[in-house]
Amino acid sequence: MSLSMYQASVPVFIRMLGNLRRLLEKGAAYADIRKFDATALPDSRLFADMFPLSRQVQIATDNAKGCAARLAGIEPPKFEDSERTIPELIDRLDKTLAFLQTLQPSQIDGSEERPITLQLRSGTLNFNGQSYLLHFALPNFYFHVTTAYNLLRHNGVEIGKPDFLGRD
Amino acid sequence: MSLSMYQASVPVFIRMLGNLRRLLEKGAAYADIRKFDATALPDSRLFADMFPLSRQVQIATDNAKGCAARLAGIEPPKFEDSERTIPELIDRLDKTLAFLQTLQPSQIDGSEERPITLQLRSGTLNFNGQSYLLHFALPNFYFHVTTAYNLLRHNGVEIGKPDFLGRD
């Protein structure tokens, strides 16, 4: 077995978004015990001009479905960014996981040299598939999943590294 | 060009540790302007029982050199975990980068099926090289680099996503 573009992307996204789902469930249980408002955790930030938890989860799902779809050369599903509560964020994770699970290795394997163009507010970025996956999509994805973890942890939710990694 | 175990590990670590080095330099410049004690940022935490910034940087370097060395089947350099200031943490990053730069693709490519055994406090973990890299080493590494970023950001250092990703 040789490392492939599919193995380095879709199963990683599926595993980490499943972990994020369980982290959010623990956040919801904690918010319930502590009687937080339904939007208190989703609205929380690590600094005033950072994105709140809700946006971190939205971007993590956008990173995952956008990366997988670009590597496969298809259009990703679009979501509205209207989630305000943890159950709504979990629903977005589930929709993203359902999309990722439709992708076959044959759609993504061999995409190392596929030209990938991103239009960002700051300008246009050009990559090949491998450099896009390794040096843009994965670091971005992990950034937002980790920041979601850090926001829950910063607010006292009892989670640990095994929850983040998805180990028993 | 086909995705390889070397490409998915060593250049990723080198790039992200270089980014972390620049994040810490911005932290040091900010601490200087704000007249922070030399250990105030390195000692800072997002929650009382989370590791401080100094430990996040130590673990990120351990993740990178440990992963690369395990995939290559060699012993990684050992560091003492005695860093207390940002210049000391930057020195540790430089030592780790120097080690990573000695590794050749031929030492790591083909390690997909190499048995990897980790002895953790919680028990023994067994992986093959590919699953160790994709589902343990990389998420761990990104976790600690992102948490270091979040700690600097939480303390007011003016850094942004382009600094984390290392884009111009």
Side-chain angles (χ1 to χ4, degrees), chain B residues 1-164:
Chain B
M1 184 184 61
S2 177
L3 186 60
S4 75
M5 290 293 286
Y6 174 83
Q7 287 298 332
S9 58
V10 173
V12 170
F13 296 140
I14 288 176
R15 181 178 174 129
M16 291 303 302
L17 292 179
N19 298 347
L20 180 54
R21 192 186 194 287
R22 285 184 289 276
L23 292 169
L24 288 173
E25 285 174 341
K26 289 196 176 186
Y30 176 82
D32 196 42
I33 290 167
R34 299 290 294 261
K35 303 195 192 315
F36 289 171
D37 287 345
T39 59
L41 281 177
D43 287 350
S44 69
R45 300 171 192 261
L46 287 173
F47 200 68
D49 65 351
M50 281 186 83
F51 285 132
L53 175 62
S54 57
R55 192 84 194 102
Q56 303 294 343
V57 176
Q58 288 165 355
I59 299 176
T61 57
D62 286 350
N63 291 157
K65 68 185 169 66
C67 173
R70 282 187 194 99
L71 293 177
I74 63 173
E75 278 295 309
K78 285 197 167 60
F79 305 144
E80 270 196 21
D81 297 337
S82 56
E83 297 85 1
R84 298 291 315 278
T85 66
I86 291 181
E88 288 167 1
L89 292 168
I90 287 177
D91 184 56
R92 184 182 179 114
L93 287 170
D94 287 342
K95 289 187 293 185
T96 306
L97 285 163
F99 166 70
L100 292 170
Q101 277 149 357
T102 67
L103 292 166
Q104 300 302 312
S106 60
Q107 293 176 270
I108 288 179
D109 282 345
S111 60
E112 283 90 342
E113 300 287 348
R114 178 187 282 273
I116 305 280
T117 301
L118 295 187
Q119 306 288 351
L120 304 183
R121 277 168 304 179
S122 52
T124 301
L125 294 180
N126 292 298
F127 301 93
N128 67 22
Q130 176 173 311
S131 138
Y132 166 66
L133 173 63
L134 296 179
H135 300 295
F136 189 86
L138 284 173
N140 247 316
F141 174 73
Y142 277 119
F143 178 92
H144 293 287
V145 176
T146 304
T147 303
Y149 173 100
N150 282 335
L151 276 160
L152 293 168
R153 193 78 165 73
H154 180 62
N155 281 290
V157 181
E158 292 188 28
I159 50 181
K161 178 69 77 59
D163 298 301
F164 177 83

Side-chain angles (χ1 to χ4, degrees), chain A residues 1-5 7-9 11-12 15-16 30 45-51 59 63 112-113 120 122 125 127-128 130 133-136 138-140 142-144 146-150 153-157 161 164-165 167, chain B residues 1-5 7-9 11-12 15-16 30 45-51 59 63 112-113 120 122 125 127-128 130 133-136 138-140 142-144 146-150 153-157 161 164-165 167:
Chain A
M1 183 184 63
S2 177
L3 187 59
S4 74
M5 290 293 286
Q7 287 298 333
S9 58
V12 170
R15 179 178 174 129
M16 292 304 302
Y30 176 82
R45 301 171 192 261
L46 287 174
F47 200 68
D49 65 352
M50 281 185 83
F51 284 133
I59 299 175
N63 291 157
E112 284 90 341
E113 301 287 349
L120 304 184
S122 52
L125 295 179
F127 301 92
N128 67 23
Q130 175 173 313
L133 173 63
L134 296 179
H135 300 295
F136 189 86
L138 284 173
N140 247 316
Y142 277 119
F143 178 92
H144 293 288
T146 302
T147 302
Y149 173 99
N150 283 335
R153 192 80 164 72
H154 180 63
N155 281 291
V157 181
K161 179 69 78 61
F164 176 82
L165 292 173
R167 291 195 294 111
Chain B
M1 184 184 61
S2 177
L3 186 60
S4 75
M5 290 293 286
Q7 287 298 332
S9 58
V12 170
R15 181 178 174 129
M16 291 303 302
Y30 176 82
R45 300 171 192 261
L46 287 173
F47 200 68
D49 65 351
M50 281 186 83
F51 285 132
I59 299 176
N63 291 157
E112 283 90 342
E113 300 287 348
L120 304 183
S122 52
L125 294 180
F127 301 93
N128 67 22
Q130 176 173 311
L133 173 63
L134 296 179
H135 300 295
F136 189 86
L138 284 173
N140 247 316
Y142 277 119
F143 178 92
H144 293 287
T146 304
T147 303
Y149 173 100
N150 282 335
R153 193 78 165 73
H154 180 62
N155 281 290
V157 181
K161 178 69 77 59
F164 177 83
L165 292 173
R167 292 194 294 111

Side-chain angles (χ1 to χ4, degrees), chain A residues 14-75:
Chain A
I14 288 175
R15 179 178 174 129
M16 292 304 302
L17 292 179
N19 298 347
L20 180 54
R21 191 186 196 288
R22 285 184 290 276
L23 291 168
L24 288 173
E25 285 174 341
K26 290 195 176 188
Y30 176 82
D32 196 43
I33 290 168
R34 300 290 294 261
K35 305 196 192 315
F36 290 170
D37 287 345
T39 59
L41 280 178
D43 286 350
S44 69
R45 301 171 192 261
L46 287 174
F47 200 68
D49 65 352
M50 281 185 83
F51 284 133
L53 175 62
S54 57
R55 192 85 192 101
Q56 303 294 343
V57 176
Q58 288 166 354
I59 299 175
T61 57
D62 286 348
N63 291 157
K65 67 186 171 63
C67 172
R70 282 186 194 100
L71 293 177
I74 63 173
E75 278 295 308

Side-chain angles (χ1 to χ4, degrees), chain A residues 67-135:
Chain A
C67 172
R70 282 186 194 100
L71 293 177
I74 63 173
E75 278 295 308
K78 285 197 169 59
F79 306 142
E80 271 198 21
D81 298 336
S82 56
E83 298 85 0
R84 298 292 314 279
T85 66
I86 291 182
E88 288 168 1
L89 292 168
I90 287 177
D91 184 56
R92 184 182 180 113
L93 287 170
D94 287 342
K95 287 187 292 184
T96 307
L97 286 163
F99 166 69
L100 292 170
Q101 278 149 358
T102 66
L103 293 166
Q104 300 302 311
S106 61
Q107 294 176 270
I108 288 179
D109 282 344
S111 60
E112 284 90 341
E113 301 287 349
R114 177 187 283 271
I116 305 280
T117 301
L118 295 187
Q119 306 288 352
L120 304 184
R121 276 168 305 180
S122 52
T124 301
L125 295 179
N126 292 298
F127 301 92
N128 67 23
Q130 175 173 313
S131 139
Y132 166 67
L133 173 63
L134 296 179
H135 300 295

